[in-house]
Amino acid sequence: MKFLDEFRDAAVVRTLLERIRATITRPWTIMEVCGGQTHTIVRYGLDELLPREVTLVHGPGCPVCVTPIEMIDLAIELSKRPGLTLCSFGDMLRVPGSACDLFDARAAGADVRVVYSPLDALDLARREPSREVVFFAVGFETTAPTTAMAVHQTARLKVPNFSVIAAHVRVPPAIEAILSSDDNRVQGFLAAGHVCTVMGIDEYRPLVEKFKVPIIITGFEPVDLLQGVAMCVAQLEEGRAEVENQYARSVRNEGNVTARDLMAEVFTFVDRRWRGLDTLPKSALALNDRYAAYDAIRRFGLTQAPTNEPIECRAGEVLRGLLKPTQCPAFGSSCTPDHPLGAPMVSTEGACAAYFRAGRLAAAATGAK
């Protein structure tokens, strides 16, 4: 494939691995903050090719995985209302709430539909004006602009029967929470390139200055990730802490200004609880007062009650980089993609699902790298 094969080139991979081996003198722990990056690492065995001194841990890089149970319950409750259609991305339908998931709700008669874009849900609302259509919006800053566009279009076209449950979350507050934790062991980050394509890189600079850790904006192919590791290791070995942009072919310093302006028009920052990370200040995006009429939570008078995860599920520790998926006692036994206990096993971008699909079950007994 054009512009892709070169980022999977085995010779380049070997060169980067040699560069890392020649640079490293002591152990370092690096976290990638993107589920797509996690899947590439596991699919190609990059973590197993790296020198033993480099430990890769997997952060809260899947927005489906960090959506709290109470928001899933809220969407399930809403989906059961007569005359209402709830739309979302496919991954969200399988995420377990406290008692069931959206697939169960659909099987019980709720009108729950999979869409590929919030604009698809808006089109549905325009075609079926007698029904309330609610889009359950999940994602990092990468997908938030499309939700903002759907809400903006709803207001412009005066569509009365469309609204949104906004569950979008922001990456920088999650990084700050991990670094602020007493049990943190992460010394450098590979930041999600697609998020920075939208948001740019400037909001990472205060984190680097405060915590003195390197943050490398990184792409998603094997060469991208190994180059990101090489850049991170070089900084760590030299005692530097800077923001560097490995993904320069897509990421500009200022990001996508048009998308950022649209998000600023529609959203406001709010505190929100994340799975495994508790409540993070200004970590989520909610519709601002100007667009309150299209906020499904306010429109339908919904309330959220905090709900605990299953006791045997250690997903929170996985999302903070404290455990590898295979080190969770439930992994591969009581927790599988067919019967997930936590969202990291449900989502196609979840770290637990990545390990399971790669057949890394034998490592569960040893906690291997």
Side-chain angles (χ1 to χ4, degrees):
M1 185 180 294
K2 190 176 182 182
F3 304 131
L4 185 60
D5 287 346
E6 58 266 46
F7 294 100
R8 298 177 179 176
D9 187 285
V12 178
V13 166
R14 286 192 291 269
T15 298
L16 288 167
L17 288 169
E18 287 302 319
R19 183 195 303 178
I20 295 167
R21 292 189 187 100
T23 303
I24 199 163
T25 63
R26 52 166 290 188
W28 300 108
T29 298
I30 300 171
M31 173 180 281
E32 83 277 358
V33 192
C34 172
Q37 291 173 338
T38 302
H39 273 257
T40 297
I41 289 166
V42 174
R43 176 185 177 188
Y44 290 95
L46 301 183
D47 53 336
E48 297 175 331
L49 294 173
L50 286 165
R52 294 191 64 84
E53 292 87 350
V54 178
T55 298
L56 295 183
V57 293
H58 320 301
C62 168
V64 171
C65 300
V66 301
T67 303
I69 288 181
E70 54 264 29
M71 291 204 78
I72 307 297
D73 286 346
L74 183 149
I76 292 170
E77 174 193 344
L78 190 59
S79 74
K80 297 176 181 179
R81 297 200 177 194
L84 186 145
T85 299
L86 187 128
C87 302
S88 193
F89 301 133
D91 277 1
M92 290 309 301
L93 272 63
R94 297 190 59 243
V95 179
S98 57
C100 65
D101 59 31
L102 283 165
F103 267 129
D104 295 327
R106 185 164 74 176
D111 188 357
V112 178
R113 307 188 194 185
V114 175
V115 295
Y116 295 98
S117 164
L119 294 170
D120 293 340
L122 175 57
D123 287 342
L124 175 64
R126 297 181 69 191
R127 292 196 308 269
E128 300 188 21
S130 63
R131 296 189 66 79
E132 287 284 347
V133 177
V134 177
F135 178 69
F136 188 11
V138 177
F140 290 127
E141 298 96 328
T142 319
T143 56
T146 58
T147 301
M149 176 57 74
V151 172
H152 176 81
Q153 289 288 86
T154 300
R156 186 180 70 84
L157 298 171
K158 295 181 171 58
V159 181
N161 60 320
F162 180 77
S163 57
V164 168
I165 299 175
H168 290 293
V169 288
R170 303 171 57 230
V171 172
I175 293 178
E176 182 165 12
I178 290 168
L179 290 172
S180 299
S181 175
D182 292 338
D183 55 10
N184 171 58
R185 62 191 184 102
V186 178
Q187 297 159 299
F189 284 88
L190 307 182
H194 51 11
V195 170
C196 296
T197 299
V198 174
M199 299 304 296
I201 66 178
D202 286 344
E203 59 184 353
Y204 293 93
R205 299 191 195 280
L207 295 173
V208 167
E209 293 171 5
K210 179 178 179 179
F211 295 100
K212 309 303 179 187
V213 296
I215 297 179
I216 315 300
I217 313 303
T218 311
F220 307 92
E221 295 299 326
V223 170
D224 290 322
L225 287 159
L226 288 178
Q227 188 175 26
V229 171
M231 294 165 72
C232 193
V233 167
Q235 285 200 42
L236 291 167
E237 290 283 341
E238 295 168 14
R240 292 186 292 118
E242 302 171 7
V243 178
E244 286 191 89
N245 184 10
Q246 181 278 331
Y247 203 41
R249 67 184 185 275
S250 292
V251 174
R252 302 173 182 173
N253 285 355
E254 70 278 11
N256 184 322
V257 175
T258 301
R260 291 177 61 185
D261 288 347
L262 182 60
M263 290 169 60
E265 177 189 337
V266 172
F267 293 119
T268 186
F269 295 163
V270 296
D271 302 346
R272 182 164 298 156
R273 192 172 78 89
W274 291 39
R275 274 181 164 158
L277 294 176
D278 298 321
T279 298
L280 306 186
K282 297 184 178 180
S283 64
L285 299 172
L287 300 190
N288 60 32
D289 290 341
R290 179 181 175 184
Y291 291 94
Y294 310 107
D295 183 341
I297 294 175
R298 286 188 263 189
R299 174 179 289 192
F300 297 101
L302 303 175
T303 58
Q304 301 177 53
T307 306
N308 294 324
E309 298 281 346
I311 295 175
E312 64 271 35
C313 179
R314 307 277 296 274
E317 292 164 274
V318 172
L319 294 172
R320 298 199 307 274
L322 301 177
L323 289 181
K324 293 292 185 74
T326 51
Q327 293 171 304
C328 174
F331 176 82
S333 54
S334 58
C335 183
T336 67
D338 289 336
H339 301 284
L341 293 178
M345 185 63 87
V346 175
S347 169
T348 56
E349 291 194 353
C352 296
Y355 272 64
F356 190 93
R357 292 190 176 104
R360 295 199 180 183
L361 303 182
T366 63
K369 177 180 172 180

